[in-house]
Amino acid sequence: MSLFVVDTSVAVKWFFPEIHADAALRLLAQQHTLHVPDLIFSEFGNVLWKRVRKKEISKNEADATMQGLLSLPLQVQASQHLVTLALEIACGQNRSVYDSLYLAAAIALQFPLVTADAKFYRALNKGLFSAHLVWVEDIPDTSA
């Protein structure tokens, strides 16, 4: 069993047919323990709101999708205990505190952060935090 922190860019792909969705779904289909900061629920809700606003999904579909996320066996980490480190990362790496919270969780738990946010990954994958980052497509398929 593998332990990972996942961000919203990965979670969205569990519910919508987007590029890298198959790779993201492997995290759910295999024996992984997935950790998230509590911020994921508000970020995910915001993604749903934007899709409703653009008429890509209905309000009922948004509600059902949020319930789907809430039903997953995610290990939720309180942002309160991560925000100081997230602020340090954000200031030092010129990234948002929101994105940095996921990285702070990965560092605190000593598990890799899996992301499908290409901009975030490219900005950090060659620097100080590269050992804590995993691109979503780089999760091996162990189901075979």
Side-chain angles (χ1 to χ4, degrees):
M1 179 184 318
S2 301
L3 305 166
F4 295 106
V5 173
V6 295
D7 67 10
T8 305
S9 69
V10 171
V12 166
K13 292 170 186 342
W14 294 335
F15 298 95
F16 296 101
E18 299 181 346
I19 187 169
H20 310 302
D22 290 342
L25 285 166
R26 284 198 303 262
L27 287 164
L28 293 178
Q30 299 171 14
Q31 293 297 316
H32 301 299
T33 300
L34 305 177
H35 292 257
V36 295
D38 54 14
L39 170 72
I40 196 170
F41 301 106
S42 57
E43 279 198 321
F44 193 84
N46 204 57
V47 168
L48 296 175
W49 167 73
K50 285 179 181 181
R51 287 178 184 241
V52 169
R53 192 179 70 184
K54 292 177 183 177
K55 300 191 183 329
E56 295 173 359
I57 62 173
S58 70
K59 169 66 168 61
N60 287 343
E61 290 169 318
D63 290 341
T65 305
M66 180 57 82
Q67 288 306 311
L69 180 67
L70 291 169
S71 72
L72 294 175
L74 302 173
Q75 304 300 306
V76 181
Q77 307 301 313
S79 298
Q80 175 183 2
H81 305 293
L82 303 168
V83 73
T84 302
L85 177 56
L87 180 59
E88 183 178 326
I89 294 167
C91 290
Q93 301 297 311
N94 198 27
R95 310 303 328 152
S96 73
V97 172
Y98 303 118
D99 288 344
S100 299
L101 268 170
Y102 294 94
L103 184 54
I107 292 167
L109 294 168
Q110 299 181 2
F111 307 147
L113 166 61
V114 180
T115 187
D117 180 337
K119 185 176 176 182
F120 180 75
Y121 182 78
R122 281 192 308 269
L124 298 177
N125 78 325
K126 300 232 189 279
L128 179 64
F129 300 106
S130 62
H132 301 284
L133 289 173
V134 176
W135 180 244
V136 67
E137 290 287 346
D138 294 337
I139 299 298
D141 185 355
T142 59
S143 63

